[in-house]
Each structure stands twice: as C-alpha cells, then as structure tokens.
Amino acid sequence: MNFLNQALLWGLAAVSLPVVIHLLNRRRFRKVPWAAMRFLKVSVEQNQRRMKLEDWILLLVRCAMIALLAFLMARPVMEGLSGVPGSKVAAAIIVDNSASMGTRENESTRLARAQEAAHAILSGLPGGTSVALAGAFHAHEASNDLALVASRIDEISQTDRHADLQQSLEVAARSLKGQAASVKELYLVTDAHAPEWGNFAALEARLRDIAMGVKVHLVTVGAPIRSNLAISSLRPAATLPSVNQPFRVDVDVTNHGSVSMSAVPVKLLVDGQVEGEPWIINELKPGGSQSATLYASLPSPGYHRVTVMLEGDEMPFDDRRTVVMNAREEVSVLLVDGDPGQEARDSETFFLRHALAPVPEEEQADYPVQPSIVSVSDLGGENLDQHHAVVLANVADVPLGFADRLASYVEAGGGLIIFAGGNLRPESYNTLLHRKHGLLPITFSPDRVVPAEPRRAVPTETNPLELDGDLLAGVVFRDALGLEAGDGEYRPALRYDDGELALVESEYGRGKVFVFNSSADLEWNDFAIRPAFVPFVNRLLGRIIQNRENGLNVEAGQTLRHRASAALAGRPATVYEMRDPEALGYLTTLSEGEGSSVLEFDRADRAGAYQVAIEGEAEPVLFSVRPSERESNPEVLGSQQLERLGASVELFRWDSDSNQGSFGKERKGAELWWPLLLVVIVFAGIEIVLAQWFSRSK
C-alpha cells in the first residue's frame, strides 16, 4: 500500500486529542464533602465498572474516527485492485504531428489515424481523469473535462517540422509529476519515424526512467513505405535578381526510398504560374541525388515566389519547395576609390564600374545596377543606407568615424567588398574593422606576397560564387596581401593554386562581407581585362543582395526575424498562409530595433509561402518556409528496436480494425478513500448512537 499524500499521515497524531480531552475532563472534578452523598455512593460503586467500559468504548470509537480521517486524507492506494469507485487517473497523451505524420495511407493520413487512437485512449479513461494533451510542439494544460480534451485532439494540425520526441516526453512526464493520482499513464502516439528517435539509446534510457513511476504506452500508427522523392535543395544562382532578366535555379532531387525512379519531371513555377518545360530526370537510384537546372525570370519589381515541385507521392510535404526573391528596379553600389589616378582609365574603380554596369553609356541610366564613385574625403557626407553595397577599392586608411558607421550599416543588412592594393595599410583595417568591430573575420598581413612566379586562382570545393574554373585559369596574379585567420568565422571562396587564400566570405549581423587580397585594377593582376571579371563582380553583388532576403526563407519551426524600415515600428501586421486563403491570419506587431523595425513570427509550421500585410503599406511582404529535410527519410523503427522498447513500455499497434475498448483494460491500482469514507461515516453513526445510549438515565 502507498499513500498519495504521505505528509498528511501526521494527522494520526490527532488520535491523542480524545485521550487528552478525556484526561482533562477527569482532572476538573474535585471532592466536596456532602452528607447526602453517602446514599448515592453505594449505587455509583455498583455501576462504576460498567461506566468505565462505556467510556473506553466511546474513546476507542472517537480515536478510530480520527485515525481513519487521517488515512483518508493521505489517500492510500492499493496496487493490484481495479474498479474501486473514486479511484483517480492522471494521463498525458502526446500526438506526434511532425512532417512524416502527413504520409498518405489510402484516403487518410498517419495523423488522422493517430487522432483516432487518441480518441480511443480518451474513451478508456474513467470520468474525472486529469488529461494533459500535447502535440509534438505544443502542450495544453491538464483538464478534467474530457469533452474539451476530445475537441483539442481534433484541433491538432499537421506540420512540416522535425519533432524532438525526447523533449515532448520530458514535458509530459513533468505534467504527470505534479498530479496526485493512483494511476499515472503516458501515451505516445507516433509513426515511429526513425529520424525522430535520433539518439535511440538516450531516448530508450529516458523512457525506462519515466516508466519507473508512470505506465508508458507507445502507440504506433502507419505502415512503412518504400519510396519517397524529395526536393533536398533549391538554390537560385548567385546573380542579381532583376526584372525580366533570366536567372538560373539549381535543384537537387533525392530518392530516399528503396526502389529506383525513372522519368521524374521537375517543374518550376513563379508566383504559381508554370515557367517553361519541366526538367526530366531519366533515372534516380535509391539513396541517390541528381541536380536539375531550370531558368526563370521575375515579371515585376517586388517580392515573388519561386517554387519547384515534383509529382505528388505518399510523403507530399517535401515534393515542393519555395523561395522568396525580391526583384529590384535599381541597386545602388557605392565605390570608394582609393587611387583616382590622373585619367578615368587609371582610376582604381574604372573596371569595377564597367563590370557592374556592362552596357553602353547611353543605356547605363536604365540598367538595374547604378554604381556611384566617391573619394575617401567625401565619405563624411555619404548616407550609407541609400546603398545596397559599399566597395573599398585600394583605400589606404579607414576613417575612424566611417568605420563605426560602416559596421552599423553592414550589421543592419548592408554589403561590404574590399579590394586590396598598394595603398592599403593593413594596420588601419586590422585595428578598426577587425579588432574593434569584428567586421573583418581575417587580418591583413603587413607584408605583401610577391610569388616567384605568377599564380592562378581556383574556386574552392563549395564554390559559393559558382565561378567557372576554366575562365579563372587564364587570370594571372602577380601580387597580393597575405590573409591571416582571425577570431571570426569565414568561408574561403577562392584560393590560389599554391593553397593560399584569395577571397573570403563572412556574415556580420544581417549583412555580408567579402575580402579580396588582390587589386581591382591592373596593378597586381590582369583579372579586370579577363572574361571572368564581369561574372565575378556581379556574383559578389548578387550574393550580397540575396543575403538580404535569406531571412525571408526559413525552415519550418524556425522564427522569422525580418528587418524593415524604422518607420514601421509599432504597426500591426497580419500573416497569412498563401496556400490556404480561407485560413484566419495571425496578428503580430513590428517591434522596434536598432535603426529599424523587426517583424517576428514563430508560428511558421507549414511549408510554403506566407504573406505579411502591414498596416499602412500597400505592398505586402512575402516569406517562405521550407520543410524539414530530416523528415524526408521514410525509415521507421525496426522490430528489434521496438522489442527493446517493449521491455519498459507497453507497445500497441493501431489500425482501423483495432479494438477501441482495449486501452485501460489492464489498469491496476485503486485509491481506498471511498471505502474509508464509508467506514468513517459508519463510525460517526456508531459514536452518536453509543453516546446517546450511554448517557441515558441509569
């Protein structure tokens, strides 16, 4: 026998109260000589033995009543019993609603089956049971209203997120820990999707620990599937997204199944409209990936949805993926010229300006990229926020005030490109931009690197700029500054053929930084007159511009944080899921950030495009959510793994023909407060009757 409220067993000490009262009442009498008493003495002595016996009986009955009340309040539980009236049950039900639960089975889904199982579990619980219901990502407060819990089961919605089942189990176990009940039960209803049981040994151990105080049931739904094609990557080319300018979209398609797939069409859509002919993948073997190359253009300025899709299969959530791109009518680039020269062609920025706008002079006014050139002395009056990127070309020293403004500008989402040259003083950059602000992830070596023979530049393995190695092979580099790794994180984008760094890329706040250790003119190389220079410069700018929209493309479950104009701070906004126009929007408010407003949204659980309508703004903001890639693997737990779990938890396989009355039939353990209450009532009645009987006239 156990007690749910063991502390109340101290109430047994109250048994002494009737005894103390009895003793105190005896001490209140004192002897008073009275002549007539001698006539009663004989009668009292004759009845004294009977009266003492009656007092002892009443005392024992009253002590028993108090002892039984103390036991009743301590709530004793007898294991091995069931069906005793008044026994309480505390239950926690977890319904997995991760992406894999959207797998189709006939006309239903795994989530629908899981909801059926949850209703069956609920129907097997006795009335008055406290039930804590949770999805994989959100938990409700425990409730005794089973009708309310049933409605909450129906409201659990499908997500495209990856679930952390161990965290869900921890939350459910904590909710049961605070419950005082004779029986505690935890139900996990899931498809046993293997990726969600990532660290199987740790999860198995935690389930075993929980099962020491709670009856744990693992209810599995769904049947294994053999095939699943998924869009595992969608990458717009590192080019500047301009209106009606074609750009390339690279797509990776992965076969996560165990059977080969052939003639797989990959379609591209812009704002929901199909663009061009689909790309056909002839054959895709199990576990293999293939790339598809598609082309699209954005029809107008502003935000657009670029979607790639496959034909639907049993796991539909990863058959399409969307990114949001912002087509700009004009991109402003500030070129800071550190060596203007005597003539225009001698300027450090001459080739940069023409590479950014590679069109005749008469067409430059209508070209999307608008470079403007300033000298270092004019930087004080320049408003950096008007430009999308700033290029420092062979600038000798970074002015102190400008360094502060530059760091704030990049942190807010701007771009910085640094080209070295003979004028650049490493100590100025290292002191202000590296040590003070951490804007540069590397430092410049104080000594120039002059190789014995000219070097070539080669893309790194990842090749983030997607540069053509053959075009770069013709470029000769005669001079450069050395780059030394600092405290910041960076990614090499180009190396020389001797392994030394040439170009590094890094993030700073919401902005992007590129550092190139050779010159932008012909002083240290012949890059500027080679065919590779124009795509090189435009890829740098394209990466910077696209980086501004990276925050608008998040994974399901991540919090969207998008910076907007400071004037929008405090304005209400409504977020709509575009694929479900009938759904109600989510209300939010743009918060105030440093020099900007911030849109935060943490309810992006479904993949696809979302629209944000900001009060007072004519054009909405778009953002996209991609499904969790970890959910695409269709593997489920094997029989051996389930057998290991069965050593500590109850396993139950749910399907449409399952016996809905089976949950709770084996429930053992009952509270005894109800029988004890009846005994207390009986003893109270006995005490009243005996007190009246014993106090009658003798």
Side-chain angles (χ1 to χ4, degrees):
M1 179 183 293
N2 293 318
F3 295 90
L4 298 181
N5 295 326
Q6 295 184 11
L8 293 182
L9 287 175
W10 287 101
L12 289 173
V15 173
S16 61
L17 292 178
V19 178
V20 172
I21 294 172
H22 175 75
L23 294 176
L24 290 176
N25 284 335
R26 287 185 59 188
R27 290 175 183 174
R28 282 192 301 173
F29 295 102
R30 58 189 180 90
K31 293 183 179 181
V32 178
W34 183 33
M37 191 66 188
R38 69 178 182 271
F39 298 108
L40 299 174
K41 186 176 182 181
V42 175
S43 177
V44 170
E45 289 177 349
Q46 291 176 352
N47 295 325
Q48 188 174 25
R49 184 176 297 175
R50 180 173 56 83
M51 293 173 65
K52 285 183 178 181
L53 180 60
E54 291 173 350
D55 288 344
W56 277 109
I57 292 174
L58 282 175
L59 180 63
L60 290 174
V61 170
R62 290 164 180 166
C63 289
M65 285 175 57
I66 293 176
L68 288 172
L69 280 172
F71 271 102
L72 186 151
M73 296 177 69
R75 298 178 64 182
V77 174
M78 181 67 71
E79 296 182 1
L81 294 180
S82 61
V84 178
S87 297
K88 289 191 175 181
V89 175
I93 305 174
I94 303 171
V95 179
D96 184 2
N97 60 336
S98 60
S100 64
M101 294 293 287
T103 301
R104 295 193 183 107
E105 295 186 354
N106 298 325
E107 300 299 321
S108 184
T109 65
R110 290 178 179 175
L111 178 59
R113 299 282 177 85
Q115 289 170 316
E116 291 176 5
H119 279 296
I121 293 168
L122 195 65
S123 65
L125 297 171
T129 297
S130 175
V131 182
L133 177 70
F137 313 102
H138 174 70
H140 294 281
E141 293 289 335
S143 174
N144 298 94
D145 187 345
L146 300 189
L148 174 63
V149 177
S151 67
R152 288 174 173 173
I153 291 173
D154 294 330
E155 292 170 359
I156 294 176
S157 59
Q158 179 66 57
T159 73
D160 293 323
R161 297 175 59 178
H162 176 72
D164 185 346
L165 291 182
Q166 185 161 352
Q167 182 179 1
S168 301
L169 287 168
E170 295 288 352
V171 173
R174 284 197 300 270
S175 70
L176 289 175
K177 188 175 181 180
Q179 298 285 337
S182 59
V183 178
K184 296 181 180 180
E185 300 174 350
L186 191 158
Y187 296 86
L188 174 58
V189 189
T190 177
D191 58 354
H193 189 220
E196 266 120 19
W197 300 71
N199 189 344
F200 181 81
L203 196 54
E204 179 189 17
R206 185 58 189 139
L207 274 174
R208 188 164 52 247
D209 293 341
I210 295 173
M212 294 179 67
V214 177
K215 186 70 172 178
V216 181
H217 303 260
L218 177 60
V219 183
T220 59
V221 298
I225 61 174
R226 298 184 59 202
S227 63
N228 179 44
L229 290 179
I231 297 173
S232 50
S233 178
L234 169 58
R235 303 178 307 279
T239 55
L240 182 67
S242 303
V243 177
N244 292 323
Q245 296 295 319
F247 62 92
R248 191 179 78 250
V249 177
D250 294 324
V251 185
D252 289 341
V253 180
T254 302
N255 184 357
H256 292 279
S258 57
V259 295
S260 293
M261 306 296 290
S262 58
V264 178
V266 185
K267 298 180 182 179
L268 177 69
L269 298 85
V270 175
D271 297 329
Q273 302 298 317
V274 176
E275 287 268 320
E277 295 296 322
W279 179 284
I280 304 297
I281 298 177
N282 294 326
E283 184 180 12
L284 195 51
K285 295 182 178 180
S289 294
Q290 285 197 26
S291 297
T293 302
L294 302 164
Y295 291 88
S297 60
L298 305 180
S300 61
Y303 293 101
H304 296 274
R305 294 168 287 141
V306 178
T307 303
V308 176
M309 62 180 294
L310 307 172
E311 292 183 349
D313 56 21
E314 293 172 298
M315 299 183 76
F317 69 91
D318 55 11
D319 293 336
R320 60 190 297 146
R321 183 176 290 196
T322 299
V323 296
V324 167
M325 301 185 69
N326 190 1
R328 302 178 185 275
E329 290 184 290
E330 182 176 307
V331 175
S332 176
V333 181
L334 180 66
L335 303 178
V336 184
D337 197 329
D339 186 11
Q342 297 296 322
E343 299 180 3
R345 188 177 179 85
D346 297 331
S347 166
E348 191 75 30
T349 58
F350 175 81
F351 294 103
L352 282 173
R353 179 173 65 85
H354 286 283
L356 288 169
V359 293
E361 290 286 343
E362 60 272 14
E363 299 179 16
Q364 287 184 359
D366 297 325
Y367 195 73
V369 180
Q370 293 294 312
S372 58
I373 302 174
V374 297
S375 63
V376 178
S377 60
D378 295 331
L379 282 176
E382 194 68 38
N383 182 5
L384 299 183
D385 293 334
Q386 294 180 349
H387 305 286
H388 296 90
V390 174
V391 180
L392 303 182
N394 197 16
V395 174
D397 296 293
V398 181
L400 180 61
F402 176 72
D404 298 337
R405 292 195 296 130
L406 184 62
S408 299
Y409 161 77
V410 177
E411 186 176 21
L416 172 63
I417 305 173
I418 296 176
F419 284 90
N423 293 342
L424 187 147
R425 293 181 61 250
E427 188 56 33
S428 174
Y429 287 77
N430 296 343
T431 300
L432 294 178
L433 299 186
H434 176 73
R435 298 191 189 98
K436 182 179 180 181
H437 293 290
L439 181 58
L440 300 186
I442 47 80
T443 60
F444 287 105
S445 172
D447 300 320
R448 287 163 58 178
V449 179
V450 182
E453 295 183 2
R455 297 184 293 184
R456 302 291 192 273
V458 294
T460 58
E461 290 184 3
T462 56
N463 195 11
L465 298 179
E466 302 172 357
L467 296 171
D468 190 328
D470 293 336
L471 289 179
L472 285 172
V475 181
V476 174
F477 291 90
R478 301 180 300 274
D479 207 341
L481 284 176
L483 297 180
E484 299 176 356
D487 299 331
E489 295 183 359
Y490 65 88
R491 292 179 299 279
L494 280 178
R495 290 186 182 274
Y496 296 111
D497 51 11
D498 60 2
E500 294 296 321
L501 289 172
L503 174 70
V504 298
E505 174 187 13
S506 66
E507 278 76 38
Y508 184 79
R510 296 181 59 245
K512 186 174 284 293
V513 177
F514 286 99
V515 180
F516 187 54
N517 69 347
S518 195
S519 63
D521 62 359
L522 301 178
E523 180 184 7
W524 286 0
N525 58 65
D526 62 354
F527 199 4
I529 59 174
R530 296 290 183 176
F533 190 67
V534 171
F536 171 74
V537 173
N538 281 273
R539 298 285 172 84
L540 293 178
L541 182 60
R543 290 279 287 183
I544 287 173
I545 298 302
Q546 288 187 22
N547 185 66
R548 287 173 172 253
E549 271 68 60
N550 280 348
L552 294 176
N553 299 289
V554 298
E555 183 176 302
Q558 289 182 343
T559 298
L560 170 78
R561 290 184 178 87
H562 174 64
R563 290 184 181 270
S565 169
L568 301 179
R571 291 196 192 181
T574 308
V575 182
Y576 299 94
E577 189 176 353
M578 296 187 69
R579 72 175 179 181
D580 188 3
E582 301 297 326
L584 297 176
Y586 300 99
L587 296 178
T588 185
T589 302
L590 275 73
S591 60
E592 185 175 354
E594 186 175 350
S596 65
S597 61
V598 181
L599 169 66
E600 292 195 19
F601 184 68
D602 61 357
R603 303 189 66 177
D605 293 334
R606 297 297 305 271
Y610 290 73
Q611 178 176 283
V612 184
I614 303 174
E615 185 178 276
E617 292 294 295
E619 294 296 325
V621 175
L622 301 185
F623 70 93
S624 71
V625 177
R626 62 183 180 273
S628 170
E629 295 179 20
R630 290 174 288 181
E631 291 289 299
S632 294
N633 183 354
E635 182 184 359
V636 296
L637 295 181
S639 57
Q640 291 184 348
Q641 291 172 307
L642 290 174
E643 185 177 345
R644 284 173 56 183
L645 292 175
S648 53
V649 306
E650 289 289 329
L651 299 178
F652 191 90
R653 175 73 184 170
W654 176 267
D655 54 47
S656 299
D657 299 325
S658 296
N659 180 7
Q660 297 191 15
S662 60
F663 292 112
K665 280 189 174 182
E666 302 300 322
R667 188 174 293 124
K668 297 294 182 182
E671 290 189 49
L672 301 180
W673 69 269
W674 179 253
L676 285 176
L677 179 61
L678 293 177
V679 175
V680 170
I681 294 173
V682 170
F683 269 75
I686 292 173
E687 193 275 340
I688 293 172
V689 172
L690 290 178
Q692 292 292 329
W693 177 261
F694 292 157
S695 63
R696 75 188 187 284
S697 177
K698 303 291 193 294

